[in-house]
Amino acid sequence: MALLLHSTPERGAVWGRIFADAGEGFIADEAGVTDPALVTHLACWTPPADLARYPNLRTVICVGAGTDHFPPLPPGVALSRTLAPGIEAMVRDWVVMAVLALHRDLPAYLEDAARGAWQPRPARLARSRRVGIMGMGRIGRLAAESLGALGFSVAGYSRSGAPVEGVAVFGADRLDDFLAGADILVCLLPLTDRTRRMMNDAFLARLPAGAGLVQAGRGAQLDMDALRRALDSGRLSAAMLDVTDPEPLPADHWAWTDPRVLITPHVAAHTDAAEGARHALAVIRADRDGQPVPGLVDRSRGY
Ligand code: NDP
Ligand code: OXD
């Protein structure tokens, strides 16, 4: 019984030490597989092409939080996404940065600065700004807590509408009400059949005039042409994106040079190697003990 890591040598070195300390079988890369039948777990960002090579494979562990890029797995093989406090904290930090940037007009000040223009603008109190977070999962809840602590008026939106303490959560049947109250909209949704291209012209038109958009989910959720139209019409005042469609965003894409759009290249989080290894150990042990596997992805709903 062993875990095969399909990743970088740097990650392999950290995982190797942690697995050795834990007394668990570990293979640092495919070249080190002497007997494919020994491989019971595989950890990777993108899986190797031939998973059928491993007849005793039980779980594939995605070393990140989102698993939308995973192909179908062989029958009986479970998919686990990495649950790591570091991923969640890093995305939360990025979202707080982006919301503050839009709240305090950073895109406009950067544009002024490029021209050497000293041009103060009126500022608003955080409590007068309504932030709507789409996706009240592990990251959305953390972001809601931090933004609430900064004084923003925070609402949430999720498929189930499950309650979250201190946040008004809207279920999928109340999208219109949710959007109408989002001065700054934050997307922290997984990419699924339902959320692909969700943010299109009709969707953005339901936001208050001059709203801000913060996108840290997945690029394919936002129609980039609709984003441009919403900025041109004034429906949106500015946007900050960590994920784009496509990725990488081509060097000549309009969004790079539009002063209303701030872009980071999908860097809101990366998985700390040690945290990833600890998640993998938890998966192996839960599986061995017949317990629910942490981070189990429900592939029928897509997350
Ligand atoms: P979770 O699975 O914990 O939460 C997902 C949330 O989205 C849940 O609240 C869920 O609703 C909601 N949801 C799913 N589908 C819909 C839908 N169709 N309509 C409304 N709500 C929906 O995920 P995480 O918080 O851990 O991560 C969210 C996403 O963030 C990841 O899937 C990934 O795409 C992205 N991400 C981006 C990173 C970056 O670097 N930019 C880094 C890490 C993650 P319910 O509660 O009812 O199930
Ligand atoms: C993730 C990511 O899903 O980095 O972990 O996007």
Side-chain angles (χ1 to χ4, degrees):
M1 193 173 189
L3 177 135
L4 167 64
L5 181 67
H6 183 63
S7 183
T8 59
E10 293 74 24
R11 194 176 293 271
V14 176
W15 283 49
R17 283 193 292 276
I18 291 175
F19 271 66
D21 287 349
E24 296 288 351
F26 177 73
I27 305 169
D29 55 38
E30 279 204 292
V33 177
T34 48
D35 178 2
L38 287 178
V39 175
T40 47
H41 299 81
L42 168 76
C44 58
W45 175 248
T46 42
D50 188 14
L51 288 183
R53 189 178 164 217
Y54 303 108
N56 295 320
L57 191 61
R58 297 180 57 75
T59 312
V60 173
I61 300 166
C62 171
V63 296
T67 57
D68 51 278
H69 57 292
F70 269 73
L73 299 178
V77 177
L79 177 62
S80 162
R81 69 195 190 97
T82 293
L83 305 182
I87 298 180
E88 292 151 21
M90 286 182 87
V91 183
R92 182 270 320 274
D93 293 351
W94 187 93
V95 165
V96 169
M97 170 181 76
V99 168
L100 287 173
L102 300 191
H103 172 59
R104 298 305 302 264
D105 293 324
L106 188 63
Y109 284 121
L110 289 176
E111 190 181 6
D112 293 345
R115 293 182 289 116
W118 183 275
Q119 192 175 304
R121 295 179 165 74
R124 280 169 61 175
L125 287 166
R127 67 168 182 257
S128 73
R129 188 85 72 177
R130 299 165 302 172
V131 177
I133 302 178
M134 289 201 294
M136 288 303 284
R138 295 174 68 92
I139 301 172
R141 289 197 299 267
L142 204 58
E145 191 181 306
S146 295
L147 291 166
L150 287 171
F152 290 101
S153 164
V154 182
Y157 171 75
S158 70
R159 199 177 49 92
S160 60
V164 174
E165 199 182 322
V167 183
V169 182
F170 295 72
D173 55 335
R174 296 188 58 209
L175 181 61
D176 283 1
D177 295 338
F178 167 76
L179 291 178
D183 299 323
I184 297 178
L185 179 70
V186 177
C187 178
L188 283 169
L189 290 170
L191 179 62
T192 67
D193 290 347
R194 284 171 181 258
T195 65
R196 189 177 299 278
R197 291 254 154 175
M198 180 180 187
M199 290 184 274
N200 55 21
D201 291 289
F203 175 101
L204 296 172
R206 285 131 90 186
L207 290 166
L213 174 65
V214 169
Q215 165 60 320
R218 284 290 183 259
Q221 291 157 344
L222 173 65
D223 176 343
M224 296 288 284
D225 295 330
L227 168 66
R228 189 182 203 171
R229 287 189 286 272
L231 288 164
D232 289 346
S233 72
R235 178 57 51 187
L236 287 178
S237 54
M240 184 153 181
L241 317 176
D242 184 55
V243 290
T244 60
D245 187 19
E247 283 183 17
L249 198 63
D252 61 353
H253 195 280
W254 65 268
W256 282 120
T257 50
D258 191 310
R260 301 164 297 184
V261 184
L262 302 181
I263 299 172
T264 54
H266 199 147
V267 290
H270 75 268
T271 307
D272 175 75
E275 285 192 1
R278 285 196 286 272
H279 173 81
L281 284 175
V283 168
I284 292 168
R285 287 168 180 166
D287 183 42
R288 185 182 295 142
D289 295 346
Q291 298 296 318
V293 166
L296 187 67
V297 177
D298 178 345
R299 300 218 77 190
S300 62
R301 68 176 191 181
Y303 69 99

